[in-house]
Amino acid sequence: AVVSTQSTGKRKVMYVKDVTEIEVKSTEEACAQVWKGQEKRRKAATILNDRSSRSHSVFNIRLVQVPYDEEGKQILLNKEKIAISQLSLVDLAGSERASKTNATGGTLKE
């Protein structure tokens, strides 16, 4: 994935190009997606860390709370009562000092 910038009026917004956004309806579904992402991460052993991350990971959680009717069956489309919150979890690739890791070749380059 490539980090790009996009102008929106006077502001520049950073975003990850070709990112995947998945809607989930439960904690279990969200956890499954986190683990799916974890499986794709690249790791390598160094003298400081036997599972040093070689890739960045960004996991955004956006919670949307909407009101339901009195029976709890229909969503009420009242913009004044919709609450949206977002939590971003970011794990940057290993930042150990290269001179202390004894990493070589491709692992050092990463």
Side-chain angles (χ1 to χ4, degrees), residues 92-105:
L92 300 178
S95 60
E96 308 93 318
R97 292 202 179 271
S99 62
K100 294 183 179 182
T101 65
N102 283 349
T104 59

Side-chain angles (χ1 to χ4, degrees), residues 3-99:
V3 176
S4 301
T5 58
Q6 181 177 25
S7 295
T8 58
K10 294 181 180 181
R11 293 178 9 137
K12 281 189 177 181
V13 177
M14 292 186 75
Y15 69 97
V16 179
K17 186 178 179 186
D18 300 327
V19 71
T20 301
E21 186 171 310
I22 299 167
E23 181 176 333
V24 297
K25 305 259 187 212
S26 69
T27 304
E28 292 79 14
E29 288 179 36
C31 288
Q33 291 303 319
V34 169
W35 287 116
K36 187 176 178 181
Q38 286 293 85
E39 290 172 0
K40 292 182 178 182
R41 296 186 70 209
R42 293 185 4 218
K43 298 177 251 352
T46 70
I47 198 168
L48 295 178
N49 185 348
D50 65 343
R51 290 174 289 144
S52 180
S53 175
R54 303 287 81 187
S55 58
H56 301 315
S57 174
V58 178
F59 186 68
N60 288 318
I61 301 170
R62 185 177 309 126
L63 301 173
V64 180
Q65 185 177 16
V66 295
Y68 280 85
D69 64 11
E70 292 178 12
E71 297 171 6
K73 294 182 180 179
Q74 293 284 328
I75 294 175
L76 300 176
L77 298 176
N78 182 343
K79 289 183 180 180
E80 293 176 4
K81 296 194 176 190
I82 295 175
I84 301 173
S85 301
Q86 182 163 314
L87 172 67
S88 297
L89 305 172
V90 180
D91 182 13
L92 300 178
S95 60
E96 308 93 318
R97 292 202 179 271
S99 62

